[in-house]
Amino acid sequence: MLYWLAEWLGFPGVLNLIRYLSFRSGAAVATALIIGLWIGPRFILMLRMRQGKGQPIRDDGPQSHLAKKGTPTMGGLMILISLMISALLWMDLSNRFVWACIFVTGGFALVGFLDDLDKVTKSSHRGIPGRVRLLVEFLIAGVAVLLIVSRTGTDLYLPFFSGIVIPLGPLYYVFAMVLIVGFGNAVNLTDGLDGLATFPVIIASLTFLVIVYLSGNVKFAGYLGIPHVPGAGELAVFAAAIIGACLAFLWFNAPPAAVFMGDTGSLALGGALATIAVTAQHELVLVLVGGLFVVEALSVIIQVFWYKRTGRRVFRMAPIHHHFEQLGWPESTVVIRFWIVSIVLALAGLATLKLR
């Protein structure tokens, strides 16, 4: 909205700064961070009063988690409020990529909210039926992909190689939808320990802030040999708002967590990151940068598949962060080591830009 106002006034004087993505990205981080820190204590108190027992804790999970009973969930609403206010203030709202990201983030947040509400209301960890949830997520992702692909095309670019593409044609729509839904649920599965998902989301958002900025700039894209997507740079502001909102949330989610993100936040953040990656045509780079989330999801898929086939487990417990807890790693050790892995993967993802 501020961009529209400054543009209408002709960007006079100091308002000329709003022209620049770098300024608006920094402003988006600060705005989301300040809003998140300001509303946090009041919001957590409100959640405690309304939820009573808080998020249900699985009895078959790690025994150390039973001490977390009573901790409120749906903290993702804090992230969404600060993220959306910041994004709407500082982004160019005439950009269709912006609305694709907002649609996925808000839509996935609504699905996650209904799932969290069902769990809290029924004091159960099951939530709404998985098939219903996936169906709605695919519908949301489908709308966003239609908005994006009309401007970007259906080619799949390979990381580490310049100019090598796979023309997927209509299959690209399915691929992009699976990526958005899959990554949203992968972040959701990772959100099982205090701070475990939040910091890697910050790292991935910072990485894609750089990538979409470069992709949206014709000179940088040409120099690096990456696909140029006119208008994609605007999503750098959205990625910056995610960083600010998550930093504020991490302040309250640091061990011992005062609030859990819940499906409300994790689904929305994963879907938002994947939508940014699809817009920048760096889908496979997302798999690398978000490798931690991918491994968490794969550990669950492998565990379920193998147990149904053989009656035996590959991991002591899935997702894989619980496996390491069962091996005797303290929760803080698991979290910090997984953070380190996310940083290394992000650096590897950025390296693909120069290696082309």
Side-chain angles (χ1 to χ4, degrees), residues 92-114:
D92 176 6
L93 300 180
S94 64
N95 187 311
R96 69 167 53 204
F97 298 142
V98 168
W99 289 107
C101 268
I102 289 175
F103 183 71
V104 170
T105 306
F108 276 30
L110 179 59
V111 173
F113 173 79
L114 293 175

Side-chain angles (χ1 to χ4, degrees), residues 108-176:
F108 276 30
L110 179 59
V111 173
F113 173 79
L114 293 175
D115 196 57
D116 286 334
L117 185 64
D118 190 71
K119 291 175 183 176
V120 171
T121 303
K122 297 179 180 178
S123 296
S124 169
H125 59 80
R126 294 186 181 278
I128 60 179
R131 290 183 179 180
V132 174
R133 191 169 107 166
L134 283 174
L135 176 62
V136 176
E137 289 171 9
F138 269 105
L139 290 174
I140 294 168
V143 173
V145 170
L146 287 172
L147 280 172
I148 295 168
V149 172
S150 62
R151 293 289 179 89
T152 61
T154 57
D155 290 337
L156 179 65
Y157 289 79
L158 300 181
F160 300 106
F161 301 100
S162 179
I164 299 180
V165 300
I166 302 174
L168 292 180
L171 286 177
Y172 182 84
Y173 292 91
V174 178
F175 169 77

Side-chain angles (χ1 to χ4, degrees), residues 80-96:
L80 266 294
I81 291 170
S82 52
L83 164 60
M84 289 301 188
I85 291 175
S86 179
L88 292 173
L89 273 176
W90 295 108
M91 298 186 77
D92 176 6
L93 300 180
S94 64
N95 187 311
R96 69 167 53 204

Side-chain angles (χ1 to χ4, degrees), residues 224-239:
L224 293 169
I226 61 177
H228 170 54
V229 183
E234 196 63 33
L235 295 187
V237 183
F238 197 83

Side-chain angles (χ1 to χ4, degrees), residues 21-43:
L21 279 173
S22 54
F23 173 80
R24 287 188 286 125
S25 296
V29 173
T31 302
L33 176 61
I34 291 169
I35 292 173
L37 291 174
W38 181 63
I39 68 173
R42 301 169 182 80
F43 207 88

